[in-house]
Amino acid sequence: MPLNQHYDVVIIGAGPAGTACALALQGSGLRVALVDRKQFPRDKICGDAIPSPALKAIRQLSQAWYDELFELTTKAETRNSRLVAPNGTEIVVQWKARTFNSPRLHFDQHLLSMVKRHTKTEVLENFGVKRLEISAQQATVFPSAQAAPLTAALVIGCDGANSVVARQLTNRTLDRTRQCAAVRAYFTGLSESDEQTSEFFFLDEYRSGYFWIFPVGQGVFNVGFGMLSAQIAARKLDLKQVLRHLTQTHPRLATRFAQAKQLSDIQGFGLPLGGVQRPISGARFLLAGDAAALIDPLQGHGIDKAVQSGILAAQQAVRCFQTHDFSAAQLFEYDRQVQTHIGKKLARSYHLMHFLSAKAWLVNGAFRFGRHPLIKNLLLKAVG
């Protein structure tokens, strides 16, 4: 039972967007609650890559917090990305900025522990949200369990791709052309792999997607495959079967998995792609992270955008309290900030992904010419 059932801000969802938002509100003087339907540590099914922009965003809040993230024991500090074209042409990229891969079971727990230790945020786990009501005076959050509702001046929805906040407070519908689906499992014992290299395989038989091998520390690898939901539906693909087939029969992959041991079941997840402007705010509410559909269409990850948008949401919350204005018009400034700092790049990524997805020959050519340092730098700028 919450100690105080009225807050200035209620953040729904304690993943990277929600925890970044809570960290960014530290020192604001606002009464903040961070709620999540799960008890941490909890697994979050994804590729487990933690891009350097996510870490840089935390660094802008606090150098000490940034340093603390690298104290994670279960991680692989990645230095390289190996990209393989459909015809087998390779590009190896050496990254200058520090980054790592870490199972979300551990990474998200670490972020939440930072919120508990460094802020006055009240954290409520096992707090599922059933519905929300918005009035002129406040937002009311009704829990799914038998408990008293929470009230707040502002609600920030950071509750993922299946966001309750987004479903109830916006008119969002499923668009398979703006949706990806993916599957992943953990393996050990892969050959020709190392803890410093993340690998991406673009396959002629499965366009508009890629297969990945990401080290996550202690000899474990996150192995997965994802592609556009529209293509999955059109071809009636079972992605779990596709992943098994690739690891067992693909000429560039099967030998590497010959002695591998699968540590977990194959599990699936959805990815709402960014690149189109959607309503992500309204009277007394904001959306951030996957709830705001901020997944990069080209790279397939969203943790950096989640952290960045969570911080932008915190900044908007402070502006609302400074002006005592929680209207849709005031909160639309957040939409503009997200579009400026995040949305424009996602739109470019979506158009580039759509352009390349049906043109394996063009991908092969880009990889061939991409070996030239100048062309490689241009490609890196295009994909981030």
Side-chain angles (χ1 to χ4, degrees), residues 9 25 30 154 156 286 312-321:
V9 178
L25 287 171
L30 299 177
L154 183 67
I156 302 178
L286 300 169
L312 290 174
Q315 293 169 352
Q316 179 60 50
V318 171
R319 287 194 292 270
C320 287
F321 282 94

Side-chain angles (χ1 to χ4, degrees), residues 9-29:
V9 178
V10 171
I11 305 168
I12 300 175
T19 50
C21 186
L23 288 169
L25 287 171
Q26 188 270 339
S28 67

Side-chain angles (χ1 to χ4, degrees), residues 279-312:
I280 56 173
S281 70
R284 295 193 179 276
F285 81 90
L286 300 169
L287 301 173
D290 290 4
L294 297 178
I295 299 289
D296 188 295
L298 198 61
Q299 301 178 66
H301 62 65
I303 294 180
D304 52 342
K305 307 303 185 290
V307 172
Q308 292 164 356
S309 61
I311 294 171
L312 290 174

